[in-house]
């Protein structure tokens, strides 16, 4: 039995989360939070994993008796999901939560699966002192990997490769995911603050949103850190917009999204010029893409067609993935993979898991990545990665 009813404004959605296994998808204070697990499945790795996930969800939702007074995207039964970056890597998961609390466009609702349940909201816990350590590669080793990627790009093997870097963190006490979520949502309200199966972050990149026949995507590629003052900030944004390297990187990312969406859409609108997306720590070149889907296309069908985009993999995709496996020296797990939610109608929102960390007890594994082009400078790419890692360092330290 799935029951969705309208409720009064719940205020801060994240403040309603109990401590155990919280799920979240929040932007500008709106979205979904959830807890409990009515169903959970490990999605088998392989090229057909999104199709497998869609079939599993169809069967699972098909068994439910639904009483839905709202009828909006995100009402009724839904699942949160996190998919690994590499299709052949294990670790992809779908979870149907027992309780979902949502607010969207002036309405709020509560969905419960099975019996009503009362979950106590405990105070947020600070993790205490944080100690950091190298991840799979030290900083000099990672710079060397960037230099090797640059040589391969200049040789003509590929046009772009996105290389990721990880960092380990150990806290004095067990890390409270809710505290990280509250800090991220407050500091980066324009990003999508998410939590799914221990993967926590605030991504600026919307991979896809499906609302009925409408599909939206936000393409980000090309990055510069914020300036020291307003004049420096504007100068950096202008330099990013004028950068041949960053504009070409952005064009590659936009074209990969266009190629993925075109076969699924009867209409597709792609801007001719990017815009500047200014966040609290970095600035990005951004292009919003909108289309009209063919009938019967689920949000997971779109995710399957789009992942991995050039913004997180490279160009051409197959060669870039080979280079990533050769040079990164690590398993990305859920980093740069799709994360989000889907309801029984096939509506949903999925982002690319950037600016994130995998949390397990007192330990966290932080991730960042950079688009490497033929004229990339390893030291500059390392500085960009460190700027991106500061997002999750702030979430841990406050």
């Amino acid at each position: 039995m799935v029951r969705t009813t309208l409720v009064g404004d719940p205020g801060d959605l994240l403040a309603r989360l109990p401590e155990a296994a919280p799920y979240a998808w929040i932007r500008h204070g709106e979205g979904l939070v959830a807890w409990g697990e009515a169903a959970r499945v490990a999605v088998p790795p392989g090229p057909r994993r999104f199709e497998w996930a869609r079939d599993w969800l169809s069967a699972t939702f098909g068994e439910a008796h639904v009483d839905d007074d709202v009828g909006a995207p995100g009402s009724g039964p839904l699942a949160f999901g996190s998919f690994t970056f590499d299709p052949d890597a294990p670790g992809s998961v779908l979870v149907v939560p027992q309780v979902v609390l949502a607010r969207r466009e002036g309405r709020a609702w509560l969905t419960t699966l099975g019996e009503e349940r009362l979950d106590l909201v405990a105070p947020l816990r600070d993790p205490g002192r944080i100690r950091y350590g190298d991840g799979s590669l030290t900083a000099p080793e990672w710079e060397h990997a960037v230099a090797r990627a640059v040589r391969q790009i200049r040789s003509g093997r590929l046009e772009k490769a996105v290389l990721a870097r990880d960092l380990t963190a150990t806290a004095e006490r067990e890390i409270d995911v809710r505290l990280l979520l509250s800090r991220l949502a407050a500091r980066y309200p324009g990003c999508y603050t998410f939590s799914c199966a221990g993967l926590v972050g605030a991504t600026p990149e919307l991979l896809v949103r499906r609302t009925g026949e409408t599909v939206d995507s936000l393409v980000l590629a090309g990055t510069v850190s914020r300036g020291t003052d307003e004049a420096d900030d504007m100068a950096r944004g202008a330099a990013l917009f004028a950068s041949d390297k960053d504009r070409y990187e952005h064009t590659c990312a936009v074209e990969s999204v266009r190629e993925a969406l075109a076969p699924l859409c009867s209409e597709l609108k792609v801007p001719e010029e990017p815009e500047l997306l200014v966040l609290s720590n970095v600035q990005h070149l951004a292009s919003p893409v909108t289309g009209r889907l063919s009938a019967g296309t689920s949000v997971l069908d779109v995710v399957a067609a789009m992942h991995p985009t050039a913004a997180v993999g490279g160009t051409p995709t197959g060669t870039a993935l080979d280079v990533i496996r050769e040079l990164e020296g690590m398993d990305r797990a859920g980093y740069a993979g799709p994360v989000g939610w889907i309801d029984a109608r096939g509506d949903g929102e999925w982002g690319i898991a950037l600016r994130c960390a995998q949390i397990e007890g007192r330990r966290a594994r932080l991730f960042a990545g950079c688009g490497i082009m033929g004229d990339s400078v390893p030291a500059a790419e390392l500085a960009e990665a460190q700027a991106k890692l500061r997002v999750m360092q702030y979430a841990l330290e406050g």
Side-chain angles (χ1 to χ4, degrees), residues 69-313:
D69 294 339
V70 179
S75 69
L78 61 80
F80 282 79
S82 168
F83 287 83
T84 57
F85 172 80
D86 190 329
D88 294 328
S92 300
V93 63
L94 288 170
V95 177
V96 179
Q98 287 182 288
V99 183
V100 180
L101 182 62
R103 179 173 55 229
R104 179 175 175 149
E105 298 177 351
R107 292 195 299 173
W109 60 86
L110 179 72
T111 298
T112 56
L113 280 73
E115 296 181 3
E116 297 282 346
R117 51 180 288 165
L118 178 64
D119 294 87
L120 299 177
V121 179
L124 300 180
R125 292 182 296 100
D126 191 278
R129 184 172 174 232
I130 308 293
R131 292 184 293 106
Y132 294 100
D134 286 325
S136 304
L137 299 177
T138 64
E141 288 172 339
W142 194 77
E143 285 185 284
H144 180 63
V146 171
R148 290 176 61 191
V150 168
R151 287 196 295 271
Q152 295 202 37
I153 293 167
R154 289 178 178 174
S155 75
R157 184 182 178 194
L158 72 167
E159 296 178 66
K160 172 189 173 183
V162 179
L163 291 186
R165 181 165 185 246
D166 63 341
L167 188 71
T168 63
T170 305
E172 283 186 83
R173 296 179 287 276
E174 187 168 331
I175 298 169
D176 188 342
V177 166
R178 301 170 305 155
L179 179 62
L180 308 189
L181 291 172
S182 64
R183 287 172 173 171
L184 290 170
R187 188 156 205 178
Y188 307 100
C191 292
Y192 296 87
T193 298
F194 63 87
S195 172
C196 180
L199 188 66
V200 181
T203 180
E205 190 145 356
L206 177 69
L207 181 63
V208 59
R209 176 192 298 114
R210 178 196 185 266
T211 308
E213 294 180 347
T214 302
V215 62
D216 299 286
S217 182
L218 180 63
V219 184
L220 302 182
T223 306
V224 69
S225 58
R226 295 293 302 271
T228 55
D229 55 37
E230 185 176 354
D232 184 34
D233 207 38
M234 292 181 65
R236 291 184 184 215
L240 174 65
F241 205 81
S243 164
D244 290 339
K245 176 257 186 189
D246 290 290
R247 288 293 289 266
Y248 183 65
E249 178 186 349
H250 189 81
T251 298
C252 290
V254 170
E255 287 307 308
S256 76
V257 170
R258 186 201 303 270
E259 290 173 8
L261 285 180
L264 301 176
C265 294
S266 57
E267 300 174 20
L268 191 62
K269 295 180 181 178
V270 181
E272 294 183 3
E273 288 273 314
E275 57 192 49
L276 205 58
L277 176 65
V278 180
L279 303 175
S280 63
N281 61 323
V282 293
Q283 303 181 63
H284 294 292
L285 294 178
S287 290
V289 177
T290 303
R292 181 169 293 277
L293 290 170
S294 303
T297 306
S298 157
V299 69
L300 276 185
D301 296 325
V302 185
V303 171
M306 293 182 68
H307 178 75
T309 67
V312 293

